[in-house]
Amino acid sequence: NIEKLITATTGNPVLLLNDADAAGIAEMEFGAGKGRGGVIIMLTFGTGIGSAIFVEGKLLPNTEFGHLEIRCKEAEHRASARLRKEEELSWERWTERVNEFLQRLENLFWPDLFIFGGGVSQKQKKFFPWLKTRTEVVPALLRNRAGLIGAAIAAGKHFNR
């Protein structure tokens, strides 16, 4: 348990949190997931693909859906925002890859909502028209600040219990 090890070594309390989990916590508390029930999946598209899943508002921590295999590659090696730029993919072509990833998640979890975070959350008009999902998809309302806000929320709840 790394939290206990760091706490014992430094003498200070520690909370470790996955960055996508932190972003999801913020979106569930103050953003696009506020007041929503069911299964909600937060996805952050950047260098890789981060993920957080909430069931009836409760976080299942440390998911790594970006590592799901799609066409013999990890999803984040096919559909990250970084790859869109590196491979000079059009938004439409990139969204085809994102759709494959979302379809896999839909088949596994039957989510009620996808929340898109990371840098792409500010560019939804460029690719949302090509999304083909049975699940509602919305951009993160807190944008790139979601991770910081979520970490503060988690720390407040953890250290003030």
Side-chain angles (χ1 to χ4, degrees), residues 1-15:
N1 183 326
I2 194 74
E3 287 179 355
K4 287 181 181 178
L5 178 64
I6 294 171
T7 297
T9 303
T10 65
N12 294 306
V14 172
L15 172 66

Side-chain angles (χ1 to χ4, degrees), residues 69-85:
E69 186 178 308
I70 297 180
R71 296 184 185 234
C72 300
K73 289 186 177 182
E74 290 185 3
E76 64 184 28
H77 295 291
R78 288 193 40 78
S80 68
R82 175 186 54 84
L83 266 170
R84 187 193 66 76
K85 289 180 183 176

Side-chain angles (χ1 to χ4, degrees), residues 38-96:
V39 176
I40 298 174
I41 298 177
M42 170 86 187
L43 298 169
T44 58
F45 291 87
T47 304
I49 300 175
S51 61
I53 187 167
F54 296 83
V55 179
E56 298 304 336
K58 296 192 185 296
L59 172 68
L60 174 63
N62 302 317
T63 59
E64 292 288 343
F65 297 150
H67 296 292
L68 285 173
E69 186 178 308
I70 297 180
R71 296 184 185 234
C72 300
K73 289 186 177 182
E74 290 185 3
E76 64 184 28
H77 295 291
R78 288 193 40 78
S80 68
R82 175 186 54 84
L83 266 170
R84 187 193 66 76
K85 289 180 183 176
E86 285 178 4
E87 295 183 17
E88 298 179 355
L89 297 172
S90 68
W91 284 100
E92 184 176 7
R93 181 74 180 116
W94 176 72
T95 306
E96 289 174 11

